[in-house]
Amino acid sequence: MKILAIETSCDDTALSLVEAEGGLEEPRFKVLAHLVSSQTKIHEEWGGVVPMLAKREHGKNLVPLLLKLLKETNLSGAEPYAGSNKEEIEKILEREPELKENFFQYVINLRAPEIDAIVVTYGPGLEPALWVGLNFARALSLLWHKPLIPVNHMEGHIYASLAATDQIIEFPALALLVSGGHTELVLVKNWLEYQILGQTRDDAVGEAFDKVARILGLPYPGGPEISRLAKTGEKKKEFTLPRPMIHSDNYDFSFSGLKTAVLYMVKKIPELTEEIKASIAREFEDSVVEVLTTKTHRALDEFSPATVIIGGGVSANNALRTSLEKLLSAYPDKKLLLPDRQLSTDNATMIAIAGYLHYLSSPQITPEPLRALGNLSL
Ligand code: KG4
Ligand code: ZN
């Protein structure tokens, strides 16, 4: 079946068209279109994502992205629009003025494309941002008479690796989810069956990367910047940072103290040269990677998963990928699933994949009333 997926939980507006086949024994995916419109430039000057700005940008971006996707995939419509539910659609889009205008100018008269379902992220994330995608999905579902499948953004991160044709997940699986809003170790017992083993008690890893980048005077988002600097950084004794909770007897994390330690360290330095910045970036990255790898190692030994998965924006980090690869090389019977880098950060392909798994598990269910849930958990 062909799935149109929509993702607007944070500062990326993303649409994908994915062809999905096979049952739960062997689901297979082919990505027909993968579009991401990043708002980094807009949020950069504020040093982080501003929810109301994100909402406005999603409202602007969604229709142009949809038109691009339809053009790219040559998905011309077969059935003409019946035109009976305009009023309902107007009501749904009431709170998104720019989206509504675009929708009624460009989308309303399109013939319904040959897709089988619409999948959308309904949480967790920034609620104003989530609502835009959700309302857009509801309007399209109504206009084109297609089923709507809501999915959890973090499930998207768990299954993102499946976009590559040769990847399969054997259960139980252990997922290390590291993004701008989350840091979780999750035991995935079967499709869509989760046990959260531990999570961060304060800042998420990605958030810590972003805050430390700011302290070092680097632009937003900080993860890729720190990672780039860290490569050239030399280890120096005077720039040693803690490894928070590395020996704690649980799977929880804490990264806020680490960020504060960087802040105090930087305050004491009279001149923050490029060389010093690089050393601090290296030590910070080392600390994060060591903590994440150590806890993953412990969970590996305790739960003996068949597959280890990493997902979320920070899973694009080279040092983390290398460290986990090294860890897994000592367990030749276990498979490590690393998502393609463009599937590590937010995108809609992963949302389509999670949506298909939901469709296979329970094709009938569309929870009502459907609403954006900023704190939705797995
Ligand atoms: O999953 P994601 O795109 O959005 C959320 O759901 O939060 O993750 C974004 C986070 C940001 O904090 C960003 O700094 C971080 O992922 N990130 C990285 C790298 N690329 C993105 N962190 C470390 N190294 C990277 N290469
Ligand atoms: Zn994410």
Side-chain angles (χ1 to χ4, degrees):
M1 67 192 270
K2 285 201 177 86
I3 297 173
L4 171 67
I6 300 164
E7 153 65 43
T8 63
S9 68
C10 192
D11 61 342
D12 291 306
T13 317
L15 287 187
S16 284
L17 192 81
V18 173
E19 184 150 19
E21 297 181 335
L24 284 173
E25 348 40 81
E26 206 190 330
R28 290 182 302 278
F29 302 93
K30 190 169 161 202
V31 183
L32 304 177
H34 174 97
L35 301 177
V36 182
S37 168
S38 164
Q39 303 175 4
T40 305
K41 287 267 166 307
I42 285 144
H43 299 285
E44 199 174 11
E45 62 178 294
W46 305 96
V49 182
V50 184
M52 292 318 276
L53 278 183
K55 169 191 154 88
R56 202 182 66 196
E57 286 307 302
H58 291 313
K60 273 193 213 164
N61 293 338
L62 280 167
V63 169
L65 275 184
L66 175 70
L67 299 177
K68 189 171 174 206
L69 177 140
L70 293 176
K71 202 168 160 200
E72 255 184 29
T73 52
N74 234 337
L75 267 189
S76 61
E79 310 146 37
Y81 163 54
S84 59
N85 41 25
K86 264 191 186 163
E87 269 173 32
E88 223 174 314
I89 293 175
E90 265 187 19
K91 223 194 253 163
I92 288 175
L93 297 179
E94 215 163 50
R95 294 196 177 178
E96 338 289 350
E98 211 154 352
L99 175 61
K100 185 172 157 188
E101 199 185 315
N102 280 338
F103 198 96
F104 278 89
Q105 190 171 352
Y106 298 108
V107 183
I108 200 90
N109 292 319
L110 291 178
R111 286 162 176 257
E114 290 147 343
I115 56 170
D116 303 288
I118 296 169
V119 179
V120 64
T121 306
Y122 74 111
L126 305 169
E127 272 186 19
L130 287 162
W131 270 116
V132 190
L134 193 54
N135 285 334
F136 183 55
R138 288 169 70 209
L140 286 178
S141 153
L142 209 62
L143 179 68
W144 292 339
H145 304 285
K146 307 289 177 188
L148 182 59
I149 305 170
V151 310
N152 181 316
H153 180 83
M154 299 315 288
E155 288 190 300
H157 280 309
I158 291 177
Y159 302 116
S161 308
L162 294 177
T165 41
D166 55 340
Q167 303 288 35
I168 53 159
I169 298 179
E170 280 180 58
F171 298 103
L174 177 71
L176 174 66
L177 302 180
V178 278
S179 72
H182 290 78
T183 305
E184 292 176 335
L185 258 173
V186 181
L187 190 65
V188 187
K189 297 176 173 175
N190 206 333
W191 296 114
L192 314 179
E193 228 184 282
Y194 314 104
Q195 180 189 341
I196 297 178
L197 303 178
Q199 55 197 317
T200 183
R201 296 183 176 178
D202 39 60
D203 292 354
V205 196
E207 191 179 355
F209 266 96
D210 296 339
K211 286 179 175 169
V212 166
R214 221 175 147 180
I215 295 169
L216 295 179
L218 305 168
Y220 174 85
E225 294 290 328
I226 297 231
S227 166
R228 185 181 51 76
L229 249 190
K231 264 192 224 127
T232 62
E234 225 180 282
K235 278 235 175 254
K236 294 218 171 95
K237 246 214 189 97
E238 64 265 40
F239 302 132
T240 304
L241 290 166
R243 269 57 179 158
M245 295 185 74
I246 198 163
H247 298 301
S248 71
D249 193 16
N250 53 42
Y251 295 106
D252 283 351
F253 302 94
S254 164
F255 293 103
S256 141
L258 181 60
K259 163 209 69 193
T260 311
V262 174
L263 182 66
Y264 287 145
M265 184 182 275
V266 167
K267 272 191 178 163
K268 282 193 213 138
I269 299 168
E271 201 199 340
L272 203 57
T273 62
E274 281 306 303
E275 202 188 327
I276 295 176
K277 276 192 201 175
S279 286
I280 297 174
R282 161 99 187 261
E283 172 66 3
F284 168 76
E285 189 179 70
D286 280 357
S287 164
V288 167
V289 169
E290 253 179 73
V291 170
L292 293 174
T293 307
T294 303
K295 297 245 158 160
T296 305
H297 190 174
R298 180 128 38 87
L300 251 171
D301 288 341
E302 183 172 347
F303 298 97
S304 289
T307 311
V308 177
I309 300 168
I310 60 166
V314 184
S315 72
N317 183 280
N318 271 329
L320 179 61
R321 291 167 90 101
T322 309
S323 169
L324 290 173
E325 271 167 348
K326 193 167 158 228
L327 169 65
L328 266 291
S329 66
Y331 297 81
D333 57 323
K334 301 187 194 303
K335 214 176 139 192
L336 176 65
L337 286 192
L338 293 172
D340 195 276
R341 275 189 186 72
Q342 61 166 351
L343 293 163
S344 287
T345 45
D346 288 350
N347 66 86
T349 295
M350 66 181 196
I351 300 305
I353 294 172
Y356 183 61
L357 298 171
H358 274 279
Y359 164 81
L360 289 178
S361 310
S362 50
Q364 312 299 344
I365 298 174
T366 303
E368 277 297 341
L370 187 51
R371 34 184 342 227
L373 296 173
N375 295 319
L376 183 68
S377 68
L378 275 172

